[in-house]
Amino acid sequence: MSQPTPPSLDAVRARIDAIDAGILALVEERAGLAREVAAAKAAAGDADKFALRPGREAALLRKLLANPARQNARPSLVVRIWRELIGDSLSRQGPFHGAVWGGKDPAKALELARHRLGAAPPLRVVAKPEDALAAARTPGGVAVLALEAGWWGRLLAEPSLKVFAALPCLAAWGPLNALCVAQVDVEPTGDDRTYWVTDAPGSAAAIEEALGKDGVAADFVAEAGGLKLFALMGYYQPGDERLARAPGRLSGVIGAAPGPLDV
């Protein structure tokens, strides 16, 4: 039985050109809808509300990645494309900007910030975590901060600022490196990591064991200034009774982020 003749290179390139034209038309339509969303929010009196919805974004990306029609597009390609579309849409709906504090590796933090926020929002690298958090207090502001220096402990006294994303968002891109903070509502997505801080003495392993006895699975993340940061598996409300019984006199939830999208 003879093998089918493969298409010519010119034919494949012509098909790619046609697909590119179709993609551009859809992107153009989507960008126009973002303006309509902004107009609808203005009419409803929500023009000043930050449009960032991390829970909705996670649901969208998981749905795309789970689509059985996706056979050839890697998760990294899908995530990068839709992060750009989402970021551009947010920038059309109101203020949207970021400040990045990268600790010992500013370039890495900046790269992760672009992966998460897209190319649309202006990003500036700042010298101190306090500067990044200050930007998050402004309309449309997002702070991207490396896990160093214990800045996360300050969120215990400032509940309006919440961790809403953990970077990178794909396990294939490496281990947890930074967190995103903004004045946004954090919602459960079905696969979350709740970020919890405690001043409990003793080892991280002992604290994890104590939490585990109450049904809370936890992974130690960082330690600074007598405080420890843990990622709790699942979504926990700040007033959860299990956390009220957890070790430490000064403790609390500082936000939650979707788990890795490719796991």
Side-chain angles (χ1 to χ4, degrees):
M1 181 176 179
S2 61
Q3 295 296 321
T5 303
S8 68
L9 182 57
D10 287 343
V12 173
R13 286 173 173 167
R15 178 61 180 149
I16 289 174
D17 289 345
I19 291 172
D20 287 344
I23 290 173
L24 178 59
L26 291 173
V27 169
E28 179 69 17
E29 182 180 2
R30 195 184 196 283
L33 290 173
R35 294 189 183 278
E36 292 185 21
V37 169
K41 288 183 176 180
D46 292 332
D48 295 332
K49 186 176 181 180
F50 193 12
L52 180 65
R53 292 283 305 279
R56 177 174 168 78
E57 292 179 19
L60 167 63
L61 289 169
R62 286 181 181 143
K63 183 177 180 180
L64 291 170
L65 293 175
N67 190 322
R70 183 185 68 83
Q71 298 293 323
N72 298 308
R74 297 186 181 96
S76 58
L77 176 62
V78 173
V79 169
R80 289 296 300 275
I81 289 173
W82 262 268
R83 287 292 189 210
E84 292 295 342
L85 293 171
I86 293 168
D88 183 77
S89 178
L90 288 174
S91 71
R92 294 169 185 268
Q93 296 178 46
F96 184 31
H97 60 94
V100 182
W101 179 75
K104 297 176 182 177
D105 194 351
K108 179 64 174 179
L110 185 60
E111 176 189 21
L112 291 174
R114 279 297 178 209
H115 284 180
R116 178 59 181 78
L117 304 177
L123 298 182
R124 61 188 179 95
V125 176
V126 297
K128 299 181 294 183
E130 296 89 343
D131 297 333
L133 293 176
R137 298 185 188 101
T138 64
V142 174
V144 177
L145 305 104
L147 293 171
E148 306 162 28
W151 57 266
W152 30 266
R154 301 173 192 180
L155 301 188
L156 288 173
E158 197 166 356
S160 64
L161 290 179
K162 298 181 180 69
V163 171
F164 71 87
L167 304 182
C169 66
L170 295 177
W173 288 346
L176 177 63
N177 186 278
L179 297 173
C180 294
V181 175
Q183 295 187 119
V184 293
D185 295 328
V186 177
E187 304 167 329
T189 70
D191 179 16
D192 300 283
R193 308 292 182 268
T194 298
Y195 289 89
W196 178 74
V197 176
T198 182
D199 66 350
S203 69
I207 297 170
E208 290 175 1
E209 182 179 1
L211 289 166
K213 289 179 179 178
D214 213 359
V216 179
D219 286 334
F220 173 69
V221 175
E223 181 175 12
L227 297 175
K228 297 180 181 69
L229 174 65
F230 291 85
L232 312 181
M233 301 302 104
Y235 183 86
Y236 288 83
Q237 297 282 0
D240 191 287
E241 292 183 358
R242 291 165 292 181
L243 301 184
R245 295 191 293 265
R249 292 188 300 174
L250 175 65
S251 64
V253 169
I254 60 170
L261 298 172
D262 55 341
V263 174

